[in-house]
Amino acid sequence: MGEGEAEEAWAISSVDRSNFKTCDQSAFCSRQRALKPGQSSYRALLETLELSDSHLTVQLLNNNNKVLLLLELYRLQGNMTRVKINELKPIKPRYEVPDVLITDPPTELMSVVAQDEHRVVLSLGGEDWRLILSAQPFRLDIMEGPQVLLSLNSRGLLAFEQLRIRKDTQTDTEEAGEKEDTEKHDKEKVSEGEEEEAEEEVDQPGMWEETFKTHTDTKPNGPSSISLDFSLPGVEHVYGIPEHADGLRLKNTDGGDPYRLYNLDVFQYELFNPMALYGAVPVLLSHNTHRTMGLFWLNAAETWVDVSSGQGSSEVPQTDVRWISESGIIDVFIMLGPRPNDVFTQYASLTGTQAFPPLSSLAYHQCRWNYNDQEDVSAVDQGFDEHDIPYDFIWLDIEHTDGKRYFTWDNNKFPQPKDMLQGLLDKRRKMVTIVDPHIKVDSSYKIHTEIRSRGYYIKNKDGGDYEGWCWPGNAGYPDFTNPEMRKWWASMFAYDQYEGSMGNLYTWNDMNEPSVFNGPEVTMHKDALHGPWEHRDIHNLYGFYVQMATAEGQIQRSGGLERPFVLTRAFFAGSQRYGAVWTGDNAAEWGHLKMSIPMCLSLGLVGISFCGADVGGFFKTPSAELLVRWYQAGAYQPFFRAHAHLDTPRREPWLFGPDNTALIREAVRQRYTLLPYWYLQFYHSQRTGQPVMRPLWVEYPEDIATFSIDDEFLIGRDLLVHPVTDEGSSGVTAYLPGNGEVWYDVHTFQRHDGAQNLSIPVTMSSIPVFQRGGSIICRKNRVRRSSSCMENDPYTLYVALDSQGNAEGELYIDDGHTFKHETDKQFIHRRLSFTGNSLSSRSVPLTLSFQPVVRVVNIRVCYNVPDVLHPSSTDGGESSVGFEFDPDTAVLTLRKPGVNAGVNWTLHLR
């Protein structure tokens, strides 16, 4: 099936696209897009250049309207460059995004290498790294030797709408005063001898007021949009800027709409569409066989991104990217790699890494809208035990509350929430309840009255509390941009405030785009006020702040001891620091199952590793085949949760007949056996920023065949997964990367060479998964009712040897739920190595006061099997070890080697 046919076959039409703007319907986007590539109207006034220890500044002059901008350039540690552009003298401050960067990025010295009247050449460290600032027209080029890595404003699309006073609202006195000030300012802002008359700017429709459907957006600050283009010579593949229901590789937007970044509550979204969804991360990655780079556009306003791929000069492929935002300033971080992992590290140094989740949150979650009452929860819980299917979390949606009043319980349906939670705790299970950020306007509801009395609600343009319609009916919206509001919200999760809550109750933040049912595009009016700032300035930050405050509340309630678990629908750059996300209101369609892979891969590339999709699809009713295939795919994605709409039939795993129950049970059990490996990957992600679920090109950056693959993926480095995502499939073709590498089918241990397309026959029980030769993966094969019940169970090591007969891996163990791995260094981190026919375990860092007695019960070695076994152990292991060799699979199994997973040991195979 071709790409176009696939899009037609998979698309659904439930979303009402007329509720959401296209670029042509957005005044600022259409204005900016009307500016075509050509010579820029901006020039750099090199005589204003100033160079300090930390950065360079130079003024930019718009030759048309004579407005001056201030360019700031920073050379940042870690091979990054920061570019900021703002008005030199705005009539009022423009919004600069706070709280997303984890620190003020440390700088390195810049030096001028050469300068004349046309350009300045700056050193970026080393002999070959240069930044060239050209004056007329203004342009920046980042060079490595003779090669241009990236150009800024090379297409002349820099545009910066300055703040101004609306002419038809001025009195004669004000107008005269402004004219005098403007003339004086104009004389100051052009060089001597170059005084020219500025072109009079003509107001265009939508600059001061804009209407979409029945909603009018007043714009007291007038037009304030910004635009800038970047050119990437030699680049054909770009990725990122989630969230969109589209393929991993970004498409050319010429002739269509740009990709839109504007957090929206989109009902049953379409596939293969650049329209905005629930979250926005303005980070784009470019990749070719020589280099990976990244662009981080730090702006929280509505943003559109144009991608144009084609031929640059000298027939070299080139991709041009244009960013357009409604307000704020230009603040962009250029991450120069050069390897994929370098870009991940660079971005993590700016916005932080994925929060290290409780181990149990990596297990299976059971959810629907809604489990009806305590009896229903108990019956579902018991059903999992009766059908021998493990799970860790059961979820309650909005119907559990007292009339959609969050932090409450429906006393008729959930009269004894602590008893319910205790019953789950007795089985070492947990619960999640939904807490949304729209607050029912009700004078008897303490959350509402507290927020109102403290003045913490967002205000409308007239200064009153902003109110909109959502699940509770008329609702207020807390201003989470206010640190005092966030502090108060966090305090509401204390056990003495959130009545009925316990330590095994966690939180789900939904509808936090924010969703306003009667608002423009189902969200908040842009002229609503957050203190001095309009909502248009901060829109994409709202969900980020809601999750931040909720996660802080969970931490505080335990006295700072326990790690939080918070799921959010809306997100921004930096949201990875606070928990998990999911892909929103998908549908029970094969296309949505398939799309869950590139959607989560895109999120992982921009720092958000804890991603998943609603297993089975939120809307509509899956067939038994689709449900089974979705469980099989979801079991190998980071966040593993089944969820369903209120109006769909019940779909607990045992309701589709015993054969399908067995297939789902097996998929869930596979997830549980691999929890040690998942936990290790999240440990690394928290330390380094590397994605957990990653595209193949991340590990094989020179293999062009991997650059567009988005129907299979890697978990860490060592597991390759190709889920079955087509109806009625009897086979799939998986690409196994790596010339000279070997891969092992994890189910049959069959060995396959790398750098090939492998045809794999499949049945309904098949989940094609391969372990990389040269790796050691730790599993727990004794699956119990929850992950916490498996805490002290033994490990089985799967040793997959490479073509030289070697392998290495790691094992990470801590208590699974507290911060003691950070505060008290209570963890075990082991380096496992198989070389020279010896398998050994050694400590990576020093481990303090954490010595759980967890044993290795089995070791399976694939490939290169010796004739005679002579085991020995440094921790008093058994003098003889049972072993079994399967000649059909070439797998040697060592049984009960008698070694402790937490100490040094060596087994010799001779």
Side-chain angles (χ1 to χ4, degrees):
M1 182 183 293
E3 186 175 85
E5 293 172 300
E7 292 184 18
E8 182 178 353
W10 293 338
I12 58 175
S13 56
S14 294
V15 64
D16 184 355
R17 294 181 63 176
S18 69
N19 282 332
F20 305 102
K21 290 182 180 180
T22 63
C23 179
D24 288 342
Q25 294 169 313
S26 169
F28 82 89
C29 184
S30 59
R31 275 199 313 274
Q32 293 282 11
R33 230 183 178 198
L35 178 64
K36 301 303 181 184
Q39 182 162 307
S40 176
S41 62
Y42 288 89
R43 60 188 168 102
L45 306 180
L46 297 185
E47 65 274 16
T48 67
L49 186 148
E50 295 181 7
L51 183 62
S52 70
D53 288 344
S54 62
H55 67 294
L56 174 148
T57 63
V58 67
Q59 295 176 21
L60 306 179
L61 175 67
N62 184 325
N63 289 323
N64 296 329
N65 62 15
K66 309 308 174 190
V67 171
L68 280 173
L69 304 179
L70 181 67
L71 168 70
E72 300 175 72
L73 294 176
Y74 300 80
R75 176 188 166 203
L76 302 182
Q77 289 182 12
N79 204 20
M80 294 181 287
T81 299
R82 184 180 192 178
V83 179
K84 294 182 72 174
I85 303 176
N86 197 353
E87 293 184 56
L88 180 64
K89 294 182 178 180
I91 61 173
K92 62 172 65 175
R94 298 180 69 115
Y95 189 71
E96 299 188 37
V97 175
D99 300 318
V100 168
L101 300 179
I102 57 175
T103 187
D104 191 18
T107 61
E108 294 187 330
L109 290 175
M110 301 177 74
S111 58
V112 174
V113 176
Q115 180 174 2
D116 58 28
E117 61 182 0
H118 302 296
R119 67 176 192 165
V120 176
V121 182
L122 301 161
S123 171
L124 293 177
E127 295 182 0
D128 295 332
W129 289 87
R130 298 286 186 268
L131 188 153
I132 300 176
L133 167 60
S134 300
Q136 177 84 19
F138 163 66
R139 169 175 172 155
L140 291 177
D141 293 284
I142 295 180
M143 313 282 295
E144 184 181 30
Q147 181 184 5
V148 178
L149 301 181
L150 176 144
S151 297
L152 184 153
N153 200 38
S154 62
R155 301 171 71 215
L157 296 175
L158 169 62
F160 208 104
E161 294 182 329
Q162 82 276 12
L163 301 179
R164 66 199 78 175
I165 298 173
R166 189 170 184 172
K167 293 178 180 178
D168 59 11
T169 63
Q170 294 175 306
T171 66
D172 291 342
T173 303
E174 288 173 334
E175 189 170 354
E178 188 201 349
K179 182 177 181 181
E180 181 180 342
D181 290 343
T182 301
E183 290 175 350
K184 179 181 178 182
H185 186 45
D186 285 344
K187 290 179 180 179
E188 292 174 348
K189 66 190 182 185
V190 295
S191 302
E192 185 177 352
E194 295 182 350
E195 185 175 332
E196 303 171 24
E197 185 174 341
E199 294 181 6
E200 183 173 351
E201 295 181 323
V202 178
D203 285 348
Q204 300 178 37
M207 279 187 166
W208 294 94
E209 188 174 274
E210 182 176 359
T211 299
F212 178 67
K213 302 188 81 168
T214 62
H215 300 282
T216 297
D217 174 20
T218 63
K219 302 180 180 181
N221 294 321
S224 59
S225 66
I226 55 177
S227 170
L228 186 59
D229 65 280
F230 300 82
S231 295
L232 300 160
V235 169
E236 296 181 86
H237 295 80
V238 289
Y239 311 89
I241 57 171
E243 184 178 36
H244 301 97
D246 208 346
L248 177 64
R249 179 190 179 186
L250 298 176
K251 297 175 182 175
N252 195 319
T253 60
D254 293 343
D257 253 14
Y259 286 97
R260 191 184 187 197
L261 296 173
Y262 190 60
N263 294 357
L264 292 172
D265 179 2
V266 181
F267 176 91
Q268 200 168 329
Y269 50 82
E270 289 185 10
L271 306 182
F272 303 105
N273 194 315
M275 67 189 297
L277 291 179
Y278 313 96
V281 184
V283 176
L284 179 143
L285 279 71
S286 68
H287 178 72
N288 60 24
T289 55
H290 303 294
R291 178 176 298 274
T292 307
M293 296 190 296
L295 294 172
F296 173 26
W297 178 267
L298 183 53
N299 189 295
E302 179 185 350
T303 297
W304 300 78
V305 185
D306 258 322
V307 176
S308 180
S309 298
Q311 298 291 328
S313 60
S314 306
E315 300 300 312
V316 175
Q318 178 168 303
T319 295
D320 300 308
V321 180
R322 181 185 188 182
W323 301 77
I324 303 169
S325 292
E326 184 173 15
S327 64
I329 69 166
I330 292 172
D331 190 1
V332 62
F333 296 83
I334 302 167
M335 299 169 284
L336 295 172
R339 299 180 301 274
N341 287 346
D342 295 323
V343 174
F344 302 141
T345 299
Q346 289 157 357
Y347 180 62
S349 74
L350 299 173
T351 67
T353 60
Q354 177 67 56
F356 193 25
L359 189 150
S360 58
S361 66
L362 301 178
Y364 175 62
H365 300 249
Q366 180 67 29
C367 182
R368 76 171 279 112
W369 177 23
N370 203 88
Y371 287 118
N372 300 323
D373 49 35
Q374 286 185 214
E375 291 72 23
D376 197 6
V377 169
S378 179
V380 172
D381 175 73
Q382 187 63 32
F384 276 89
D385 291 340
E386 290 174 356
H387 294 90
D388 195 25
I389 301 173
Y391 88 96
D392 271 63
F393 285 80
I394 190 166
W395 292 53
L396 295 180
D397 211 316
I398 55 177
E399 310 302 332
H400 84 278
T401 63
D402 176 13
K404 316 301 189 296
R405 298 168 179 87
Y406 304 108
F407 299 100
T408 70
W409 305 84
D410 184 320
N411 287 328
N412 294 318
K413 297 177 179 180
F414 298 91
Q416 301 293 334
K418 283 192 175 182
D419 290 348
M420 175 178 62
L421 289 167
Q422 186 62 51
L424 294 170
L425 185 62
D426 291 343
K427 295 183 177 182
R428 306 189 74 177
R429 287 172 173 155
K430 301 168 178 66
M431 175 173 276
V432 171
T433 52
I434 197 166
V435 179
D436 287 349
H438 47 259
I439 304 302
K440 184 178 180 66
V441 176
D442 176 1
S443 60
S444 64
Y445 177 29
K446 75 167 187 176
I447 299 295
H448 164 69
T449 58
E450 280 277 313
I451 295 173
R452 172 162 286 181
S453 67
R454 293 169 182 264
Y456 288 163
Y457 276 128
I458 297 168
K459 307 302 179 185
N460 60 38
K461 64 184 176 65
D462 300 316
D465 287 346
Y466 179 92
E467 293 181 1
W469 201 260
C470 207
W471 295 126
N474 197 35
Y477 290 78
D479 185 359
F480 284 91
T481 68
N482 181 347
E484 293 302 314
M485 170 60 212
R486 296 198 299 271
K487 182 179 178 181
W488 178 85
W489 180 268
S491 73
M492 289 299 100
F493 289 90
Y495 300 126
D496 61 352
Q497 295 292 329
Y498 189 170
E499 293 183 13
S501 66
M502 292 174 52
N504 63 331
L505 182 66
Y506 296 84
T507 311
W508 173 17
N509 293 148
D510 197 5
M511 315 297 286
N512 54 339
E513 292 76 25
S515 179
V516 183
F517 292 163
N518 60 339
E521 300 191 89
V522 201
T523 193
M524 186 168 288
H525 293 73
K526 288 181 175 180
D527 54 10
L529 297 173
H530 302 255
W533 304 109
E534 287 190 292
H535 185 73
R536 82 181 72 251
D537 299 314
I538 69 93
H539 175 84
N540 287 342
L541 280 175
Y542 191 78
F544 164 87
Y545 279 128
V546 174
Q547 190 186 24
M548 173 196 289
T550 302
E552 183 58 32
Q554 286 191 11
I555 294 170
Q556 287 181 10
R557 72 179 185 178
S558 68
L561 179 64
E562 297 289 334
R563 285 178 249 166
F565 171 70
V566 182
L567 179 73
T568 183
R569 189 169 72 175
F571 51 83
F572 189 67
S575 287
Q576 67 270 13
R577 307 198 298 264
Y578 305 112
V581 306
W582 91 107
T583 61
D585 296 344
N586 60 2
E589 308 234 345
W590 288 93
H592 278 265
L593 166 59
K594 193 183 298 285
M595 188 59 71
S596 70
I597 299 173
M599 289 182 76
C600 280
L601 287 174
S602 295
L603 282 161
L605 288 175
V606 298
I608 301 177
S609 275
F610 206 176
C611 168
D614 287 343
V615 169
F618 179 65
F619 289 108
K620 302 187 178 182
T621 302
S623 66
E625 180 189 4
L626 175 57
L627 185 65
V628 168
R629 290 303 192 197
W630 214 317
Y631 267 98
Q632 292 172 341
Y636 287 90
Q637 292 178 358
F639 177 55
F640 184 24
R641 182 187 73 154
H643 187 35
H645 189 274
L646 182 72
D647 295 330
T648 62
R650 295 288 284 257
R651 59 169 89 143
E652 283 72 42
W654 51 86
L655 297 179
F656 293 77
D659 290 345
N660 290 312
T661 299
L663 292 170
I664 293 172
R665 178 190 301 116
E666 174 57 24
V668 176
R669 288 174 66 89
Q670 286 186 33
R671 172 58 164 235
Y672 275 72
T673 64
L674 278 169
L675 282 175
Y677 183 73
W678 280 105
Y679 199 49
L680 172 68
Q681 301 314 309
F682 273 90
Y683 172 70
H684 282 307
S685 184
Q686 186 257 345
R687 291 176 63 242
T688 68
Q690 313 302 310
V692 171
M693 176 181 174
R694 59 189 70 161
L696 272 62
W697 63 259
V698 168
E699 294 297 333
Y700 299 89
E702 298 179 6
D703 186 348
I704 297 174
T706 67
F707 291 3
S708 297
I709 292 177
D710 61 8
D711 58 355
E712 65 183 63
F713 54 90
L714 294 165
I715 305 169
R717 293 181 58 220
D718 298 333
L719 282 182
L720 186 151
V721 186
H722 191 301
V724 181
T725 57
D726 288 313
E727 185 176 12
S729 180
S730 60
V732 299
T733 300
Y735 181 70
L736 302 182
N739 189 23
E741 293 201 11
V742 293
W743 295 87
Y744 297 87
D745 185 310
V746 300
H747 309 296
T748 66
F749 306 112
Q750 185 175 355
R751 180 183 181 275
H752 303 279
D753 291 330
Q756 67 157 319
N757 287 300
L758 180 68
S759 295
I760 308 166
V762 298
T763 65
M764 278 305 299
S765 65
S766 302
I767 313 177
V769 182
F770 300 86
Q771 181 174 343
R772 185 181 60 83
S775 67
I776 301 173
I777 289 179
C778 302
R779 300 183 181 221
K780 286 194 172 185
N781 288 338
R782 295 181 187 175
V783 177
R784 303 185 190 271
R785 63 168 50 143
S786 74
S787 65
S788 297
C789 294
M790 300 165 60
E791 180 179 1
N792 297 316
D793 284 341
Y795 293 90
T796 295
L797 310 187
Y798 287 76
V799 183
L801 301 185
D802 62 18
S803 55
Q804 286 76 45
N806 301 317
E808 61 180 26
E810 295 174 71
L811 173 62
Y812 177 83
I813 308 171
D814 60 22
D815 64 22
H817 59 94
T818 74
F819 288 105
K820 289 182 179 179
H821 65 288
E822 290 182 351
T823 58
D824 302 330
K825 304 300 181 185
Q826 292 190 11
F827 64 89
I828 289 171
H829 188 187
R830 312 296 302 177
R831 179 81 63 192
L832 307 170
S833 176
F834 189 102
T835 184
N837 286 338
S838 292
L839 177 63
S840 64
S841 172
R842 295 290 181 269
S843 179
V844 179
L846 179 65
T847 300
L848 302 178
S849 63
F850 188 69
Q851 293 292 338
V853 180
V854 183
R855 307 191 75 78
V856 176
V857 69
N858 284 321
I859 299 171
R860 292 186 174 179
V861 184
C862 303
Y863 182 60
N864 194 19
V865 180
D867 295 329
V868 184
L869 176 67
H870 294 289
S872 64
S873 170
T874 62
D875 71 337
E878 301 296 330
S879 58
S880 62
V881 176
F883 65 95
E884 175 184 330
F885 176 58
D886 183 342
D888 294 330
T889 59
V891 173
L892 174 69
T893 301
L894 312 180
R895 304 195 185 281
K896 297 183 178 180
V899 294
N900 188 322
V903 301
N904 293 345
W905 51 264
T906 301
L907 287 172
H908 300 291
L909 308 180
R910 296 175 183 151

